[in-house]
Amino acid sequence: MNEVLTVAMLVVMAIGVFSGFPVALVLAGTGFLGFVAAVWVGITDFQHLGLIYLRARGVLTNESVQFTSVPMLIFLGLILNASGIAETMFRLLGRLLTGVPGRYAIATLLIGLVLAPAAGVIGASVITVALVAYAPMMASGYAPRTAGGAVAASGALGVVFPPAVMLFFISNVFYLRIGLMYVALIVPVLLMVMAFAVYFAVTLRKTVEIPLDTPKTNLVSDLLFVLASVAVIASIPLSIILGFATLTEAAGVGVFGALLVALARKRLSFSSLNSVTVQTSTMTSMVFFIVLGASVFSLSFHLVGGPNVIFDWISAFDLTRWELLAMLLGVIIILGFVFDWIEVLLVFVPVLMPIISELDFADHVGSAYFAQIWIAGLIALALQTSFLTPPFGYALFFAKMAAPKGINLSDIYRGAVPLVAIEIALIAALISFPQLITWLPEMALGDADAPQLIQR
């Protein structure tokens, strides 16, 4: 009976999501239906209905999770977007990279890192990059597939670059320190940017870039504003890593810094502040409704024994740990086609957690604790890869939504394929050389607090 209820809950949830109903309501509704079905077959009784309230309340009031930082991180990204810093940075990088092949594509990648806080909502990040970078790249003579691929890749980069919101949820799922999760992804993302930049520089080396007519601005002023914005964003992970502030405190200081940048650029009007506040409220409400819905679904799914059923199914294949890891990452990428990252992290990763916890890579990584950081980093990168992978990647659809005339979805697909190949090669390298993920967390944790490491 447990197997029947497990399959039924997954099928009902899939039907609800594909029907277009709000994901939060689908998750909560499926959870309630699963609970009623469990009562009907005698697995539990209605006296345990209060567990749903206790579960939801426990998730939202858990002091160690610091959910209060989520709206501030979203607000921070939106304020920086409203300040027009992306356009200024793109123009500045275009001037600084003069003579470098593919300079506008590389500049597009770099502004994606500055927009990392807003990239928790990938649509906002991709569309913002698109509005800034599409026209200059097309006017400079880039092929539609190159411009589309660069915009989609740039918008997806910030999803896994500190202080992206997604890393907060991954650290919560894996019970990891948020500061360690932040530093774990710095090297992989920078390697990704370098690989993408080399790809564009090589493939565009014979492209004759048409000089752009850019407005005459004060170079020193532009540079100061860009450096100030980078400092505001960098202060969040750095203050957490160095122990100066909690995540909520660091996010609050970051918001204050972003407001100062917008004010100095004379972009902080009542109208813009009102618009950003409304957008922040909308996005935050969406996130927390999904958190509540996922809590209800997760509780009912555990009551019917869903995780154990899935664990038994996968264990029946008798896979090695490497095959199991590859399969899990493949499943994460496929789930990322259909669901937003927050549903994958709050619904499916907890379901797969009994399998993940069985993966023993302590001898390969150096310790069981850092092996968890390594796996969490691989899952984050797998999710980020799914956003770029044709034909269902979210970043591709948003890149088409904001594309000018002359750029088709098929062009963006062709531009994204080599970038996805680069990402998969990078994930393979990170699997082979876990130190690329764990080196900075080990350094940040220090010898005194580090878990006992296995001699490599």
Side-chain angles (χ1 to χ4, degrees), residues 43-314:
I43 294 178
T44 186
D45 55 65
F46 279 112
Q47 291 182 356
H48 293 100
L49 187 62
L51 291 176
I52 294 177
Y53 164 76
L54 294 175
R55 177 63 175 265
R57 184 177 182 275
V59 168
L60 294 181
T61 59
N62 188 345
E63 293 182 0
S64 64
V65 177
Q66 299 186 57
F67 273 118
T68 51
S69 63
V70 173
M72 284 188 283
L73 289 173
I74 294 175
F75 186 81
L76 167 63
L78 294 176
I79 278 290
L80 287 179
N81 289 343
S83 72
I85 196 64
E87 182 180 357
T88 300
M89 185 176 183
F90 185 86
R91 185 172 61 246
L92 179 64
L93 288 171
R95 296 170 66 178
L96 294 178
L97 295 174
T98 299
V100 177
R103 58 173 172 160
Y104 292 117
I106 296 173
T108 301
L109 294 174
L110 294 177
I111 64 175
L113 297 183
V114 175
L115 295 172
V121 184
I122 189 169
S125 180
V126 174
I127 291 174
T128 301
V129 173
L131 294 175
V132 171
Y134 257 138
M137 283 192 287
M138 296 298 290
S140 185
Y142 285 18
R145 67 175 181 274
T146 301
V151 167
S154 175
L157 275 175
V159 177
V160 288
F161 194 70
V165 178
M166 188 175 81
L167 300 183
F168 164 82
F169 284 94
I170 288 184
S171 65
N172 179 38
V173 170
F174 281 86
Y175 300 100
L176 299 171
R177 299 186 191 181
I178 182 62
L180 296 181
M181 198 69 244
Y182 277 170
V183 296
L185 272 298
I186 290 177
V187 171
V189 175
L190 292 181
L191 288 175
M192 189 185 305
V193 173
M194 291 174 57
F196 287 169
V198 169
Y199 166 77
F200 284 123
V202 171
T203 56
L204 297 174
R205 67 188 184 281
K206 295 182 179 180
T207 300
V208 179
E209 295 186 336
I210 302 171
L212 300 177
D213 293 329
T214 56
K216 298 297 182 180
T217 58
N218 188 315
L219 179 60
V220 175
S221 176
D222 286 349
L223 183 59
L224 288 177
F225 279 126
V226 168
L227 291 177
S229 300
V230 172
V232 166
I233 294 173
S235 68
I236 297 176
L238 284 176
S239 59
I240 295 170
I241 294 165
L242 297 175
F244 295 153
T246 64
L247 177 58
T248 302
E249 293 166 346
V253 173
V255 166
F256 181 72
L259 289 171
L260 291 180
V261 170
L263 183 63
R265 290 177 59 84
K266 299 180 180 179
R267 299 288 187 95
L268 189 63
S269 64
F270 176 80
S271 176
S272 63
L273 186 59
N274 178 69
S275 176
V276 167
T277 302
V278 170
Q279 291 181 65
T280 301
S281 301
T282 302
M283 294 178 181
T284 303
S285 299
M286 177 192 71
V287 169
F288 281 105
F289 271 121
I290 293 175
V291 169
L292 289 173
S295 299
V296 175
F297 177 87
S298 177
L299 175 62
S300 298
F301 199 70
H302 277 80
L303 283 175
V304 302
N308 293 331
V309 171
I310 293 177
F311 180 78
D312 292 339
W313 287 346
I314 296 178

